[in-house]
């Protein structure tokens, strides 16, 4: 997702360090399995008003590229700034991020931020190595909500539950430390059935946008200042292109081009960066 190792780590920690006191909250939202070409702000077909508003107040990167079309591999790069060859995670389930890795959460924890993570599926539970540096790592996945005919099956929970857990954690904060939070939303990965029947992929993406809106609205209720926000996807979805139904085999744009929006002091609001 980032052109050279550790660029994201340096950017995000640098933005936090340079902001005016008090130190800012930082929120990272990862949308699992979301294509860049679905976003409204990028001219896509899905109505994404909450993410569009975030892009209007921040900078959107229109040619962001994931390091791999695999959830754990991509998140390991996101939180270490290292390519897969360096951090050693090559697949879901059979690899884990080692304790020797230095993660973004550990950097914020050392600097005094309260750190919390809230994940939507077991593919990122604490056994995978991403919990290091987090005071709270909420991976309490209780439901198994697989779509009919799903290719990949993971215990998961609805985005409403993930957002609710994150906001409960914020509401319970009793100290004045700044917050670093990661919220992972899994709803577009093999979209599950809801009370009205099976969701289409685009309907699931639209639902993710609603969850992002609920998260940002709730954040304003419990925190005095707007956080630095980074919103990205870990990878996309082929949707039948190139003969691939889902993701994980090929490395075409369908699974590697991802949405990336950053809102932070010093970044121009409404800017569009077209360079990769």
């Amino acid at each position: 997702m980032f052109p050279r190792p550790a660029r994201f780590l340096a950017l995000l920690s640098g933005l936090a360090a340079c902001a005016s006191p008090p130190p800012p909250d930082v929120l990272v939202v990862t949308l699992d399995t979301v294509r860049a070409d679905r976003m409204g702000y990028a001219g896509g077909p899905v109505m994404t008003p909450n993410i569009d508003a975030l892009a209007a107040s921040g900078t959107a990167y229109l040619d962001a590229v994931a390091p791999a079309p695999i959830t754990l591999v991509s998140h390991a790069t996101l939180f270490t700034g290292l390519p897969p060859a360096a951090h050693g995670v090559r697949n879901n389930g059979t690899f884990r991020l080692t304790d020797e890795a230095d993660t973004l959460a550990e950097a914020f924890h050392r600097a005094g931020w309260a750190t919390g993570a809230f994940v939507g599926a077991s593919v990122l539970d604490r056994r995978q190595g991403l919990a290091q540096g987090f005071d709270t790592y909420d991976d309490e996945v209780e439901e198994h909500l697989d779509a009919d005919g799903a290719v990949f099956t993971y215990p998961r929970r609805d985005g409403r539950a993930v957002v609710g857990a994150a906001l409960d954690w914020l509401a319970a904060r009793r100290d004045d430390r700044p917050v670093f939070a990661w919220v992972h939303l899994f709803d577009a990965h093999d979209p599950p059935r809801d009370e009205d029947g099976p969701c289409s992929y685009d309907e699931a993406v639209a639902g993710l946008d609603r969850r992002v809106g609920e998260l940002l609205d709730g954040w304003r209720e419990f925190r005095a200042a707007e956080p630095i926000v980074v919103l990205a996807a870990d990878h996309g979805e082929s949707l039948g292109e190139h003969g691939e139904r889902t993701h994980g085999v090929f490395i075409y744009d369908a699974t590697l081009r991802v949405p990336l929006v950053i809102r932070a002091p010093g970044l121009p609001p409404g800017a569009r960066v077209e360079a990769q």
Side-chain angles (χ1 to χ4, degrees):
M1 191 177 298
F2 311 103
R4 45 183 78 85
R7 180 167 182 171
F8 183 60
L9 290 167
L11 172 65
L12 193 53
S13 58
L15 288 169
C18 293
S20 299
D25 292 340
V26 179
L27 170 63
V28 175
V29 181
T30 55
L31 309 177
D32 210 294
T33 321
V34 173
R35 294 169 57 127
D37 64 4
R38 281 328 198 245
M39 298 291 99
Y41 70 80
V46 181
M47 297 289 288
T48 55
N50 295 293
I51 297 173
D52 294 353
L54 184 65
S57 62
T59 295
Y61 299 83
L62 301 181
D63 197 11
V65 178
I70 303 170
T71 295
L72 180 58
V73 181
S74 190
H75 279 87
T77 290
L78 179 74
F79 284 109
T80 65
L82 299 173
H87 62 59
V89 179
R90 304 299 181 89
N91 203 355
N92 294 331
T94 52
F95 289 82
R96 72 180 299 276
L97 184 66
T98 67
D99 293 340
E100 288 72 28
D102 193 27
T103 69
L104 187 61
E106 288 177 301
F108 274 101
H109 186 272
R110 286 193 298 268
W113 269 252
T115 55
F118 309 88
V119 302
S122 64
V123 67
L124 296 178
D125 68 26
R126 67 184 62 247
R127 295 172 297 175
Q128 316 311 321
L130 293 179
Q132 50 194 299
F134 285 105
D135 302 320
T136 296
Y137 197 87
D138 188 332
D139 57 358
E140 295 297 319
V141 179
E142 299 177 354
E143 298 180 75
H144 206 126
L145 300 175
D146 293 316
D148 292 341
V151 175
F152 306 106
T153 57
Y154 297 109
R156 59 197 287 171
R157 57 178 166 175
D158 182 88
R160 292 183 183 87
V162 179
V163 169
L167 294 179
D168 287 347
W169 179 75
L170 279 180
R173 303 299 314 149
R174 292 294 181 264
D175 57 46
D176 58 0
R177 287 185 295 165
V179 164
F180 172 75
W182 166 38
V183 176
H184 164 252
L185 300 173
F186 198 68
D187 301 48
H189 189 296
D190 276 325
R193 298 178 64 93
D194 63 16
E195 61 273 12
D196 298 318
C199 292
S200 71
Y201 178 77
D202 285 358
E203 288 171 336
V205 172
L208 287 178
D209 179 78
R210 292 192 290 273
R211 303 293 85 77
V212 170
E214 292 163 4
L215 176 61
L216 294 176
D217 287 345
W219 195 287
R220 296 182 188 105
E221 181 179 348
F222 298 119
R223 304 296 290 178
E226 292 285 331
I228 290 175
V229 180
V230 177
L231 179 141
D234 57 346
H235 57 74
E237 187 80 315
S238 283
L239 300 178
E241 293 182 28
H242 311 288
E244 184 180 34
R245 175 183 165 188
T246 56
H247 58 272
V249 177
F250 300 132
I251 53 172
Y252 293 103
D253 278 356
T255 60
L256 288 189
R257 284 192 63 232
V258 292
L260 174 62
V261 175
I262 303 178
R263 186 187 70 192
L267 293 180
R272 300 290 185 269
V273 177
E274 296 188 4
Q276 191 174 93

